């Protein structure tokens, strides 16, 4: 797509990998909790579908962040997808560095979620067959 739209290649394309790492780590750590609670609560599957759809439309994937009023622009950055989407845009489309400060925050939150989520999953994995 970069060639098709004639977007020039810059050295910032290398910065795609740290963004991708934090992106994968965050959603993996989040999925640990969803896996655990998804086994216990059957309706979580349906709820997750709607939350994910809402989360996608509140993320700047199909709309530009400049459309948000100035007073709400700081609040929208609480959504982790905003930092991921905007960092991917910076790297690929704009030839700029990603938002490392927000990526660092989501990296730390991901590590905390991993530290909390893996023991919960391993502790309860023997009980999952009883629940299912």
């Amino acid at each position: 797509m970069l060639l098709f739209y004639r977007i020039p290649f810059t050295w910032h394309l290398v910065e795609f990998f740290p963004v991708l790492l934090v992106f994968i780590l965050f959603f993996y750590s989040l999925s640990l909790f969803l896996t655990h609670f998804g086994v216990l609560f059957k309706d979580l599957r349906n709820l997750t579908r709607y939350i994910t759809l809402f989360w996608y439309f509140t993320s700047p994937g199909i709309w530009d962040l400049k459309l948000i009023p100035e007073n709400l622009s700081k609040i929208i950055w609480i959504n982790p997808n905003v930092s991921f989407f905007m960092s991917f845009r910076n790297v690929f489309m704009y030839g700029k560095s990603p938002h490392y400060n927000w990526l660092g925050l989501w990296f730390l939150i991901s590590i905390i979620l991993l530290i909390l989520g893996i023991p919960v999953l391993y502790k309860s994995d023997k009980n999952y067959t009883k629940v299912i």
Side-chain angles (χ1 to χ4, degrees), residues 11-20 91 96-98 100 103:
W11 65 274
H12 290 286
L13 290 176
V14 177
E15 294 178 298
F16 162 75
F17 295 107
V19 178
L20 183 66
V91 167
K96 298 187 326 189
S97 292
Y100 283 119
L103 290 175

Side-chain angles (χ1 to χ4, degrees), residues 44-101:
L44 188 63
R45 180 180 182 185
N46 295 327
L47 183 64
T48 304
R49 187 176 307 149
Y50 293 114
I51 289 174
T52 304
L53 188 64
F54 176 75
W55 195 6
Y56 174 73
F57 284 114
T58 58
S59 302
I62 56 175
W63 51 270
D64 194 7
L65 196 59
K66 294 174 185 169
L67 297 173
I68 299 294
E70 192 68 35
N71 57 347
L72 294 177
S73 66
K74 291 179 177 68
I75 296 171
I76 198 78
W77 281 92
I78 295 171
N79 180 352
N81 278 340
V82 172
S83 59
F84 296 137
F85 285 8
M86 295 308 292
S87 292
F88 283 129
R89 277 188 187 160
N90 281 352
V91 167
F92 286 112
M93 294 174 57
Y94 305 137
K96 298 187 326 189
S97 292
H99 297 278
Y100 283 119
N101 52 351

Side-chain angles (χ1 to χ4, degrees), residues 87-123:
S87 292
F88 283 129
R89 277 188 187 160
N90 281 352
V91 167
F92 286 112
M93 294 174 57
Y94 305 137
K96 298 187 326 189
S97 292
H99 297 278
Y100 283 119
N101 52 351
W102 285 102
L103 290 175
L105 173 70
W106 293 116
F107 179 75
L108 289 174
I109 290 172
S110 301
I111 296 298
I112 292 169
L113 287 175
L114 275 177
I115 290 170
L116 297 174
I118 290 175
V120 167
L121 202 61
Y122 281 123
K123 182 179 137 188

Side-chain angles (χ1 to χ4, degrees), residues 31-42 44 116-132:
S31 69
L32 290 174
F33 286 100
L34 289 176
T35 301
H36 173 69
F37 291 115
V39 172
L40 301 176
F41 305 107
K42 298 293 182 197
L44 188 63
L116 297 174
I118 290 175
V120 167
L121 202 61
Y122 281 123
K123 182 179 137 188
S124 302
D125 68 347
K126 292 175 181 52
N127 298 330
Y128 292 153
T129 55
K130 296 175 190 172
V131 173
I132 295 176

